[in-house]
Amino acid sequence: QVQLVESGGGLVQTGGSLRLSCAGSGRAFGGVAVGWFRQAPGKEREFVATISWSGGSTFYKDSVKGRFTISRDSAKNTVYLQMNSLKPEDTAVYYCAARKWGASATSRLDEYAYWGQGTQVTVSS
């Protein structure tokens, strides 16, 4: 079983930055792709960013391109989401997730089997 724990959320003003961390455990963690998703009140959970097991392939939701960066540090078993130039519309609970066995990055929610508890990001104007 892969276990994921997110941290780094909080309250920030428009234009500010936050770095979210996803600490993973389990032998499979380093061999699967990881994604970040977010869910705002009253809205469906949506894809934000994903990274392959090797870190060699990443892609993002269009609205966060150029502002967010996903990365992973295998030595620390941690995946990060650096969020810059934050906007009020980025306010949501952010979740990290790991694929069950796939190494390729994907935006498909149903391809992710393991989920963290979520961390709240609030951007004030």
Side-chain angles (χ1 to χ4, degrees):
Q1 292 284 337
V2 173
Q3 298 182 46
L4 307 172
V5 179
E6 302 100 329
S7 62
L11 175 64
V12 65
Q13 292 184 308
T14 297
S17 298
L18 287 172
R19 188 179 73 163
L20 305 184
S21 298
C22 177
S25 63
R27 291 182 179 180
F29 181 74
V32 298
V34 174
W36 285 95
F37 297 79
R38 67 188 183 188
Q39 187 167 24
K43 296 185 178 180
E44 298 294 323
R45 189 169 299 184
E46 65 178 4
F47 164 77
V48 177
T50 184
I51 187 168
S52 63
W53 73 270
S54 67
S57 180
T58 61
F59 57 91
Y60 302 86
K61 175 181 173 65
D62 286 345
S63 64
V64 309
K65 289 179 180 177
R67 299 189 297 120
F68 291 10
T69 302
I70 188 171
S71 62
R72 67 191 305 165
D73 185 337
S74 296
K76 296 182 178 180
N77 296 319
T78 302
V79 175
Y80 303 96
L81 184 67
Q82 179 67 46
M83 305 186 294
N84 299 326
S85 301
L86 283 163
K87 305 174 181 180
E89 52 262 44
D90 296 317
T91 295
V93 176
Y94 283 70
Y95 300 88
C96 67
R99 297 189 69 178
K100 186 175 182 179
W101 49 262
S104 300
T106 179
S107 62
R108 290 184 58 179
L109 188 149
D110 62 359
E111 290 292 326
Y112 292 87
Y114 307 102
W115 294 81
Q117 82 289 347
T119 185
Q120 177 71 49
V121 172
T122 303
V123 184
S124 63
S125 60

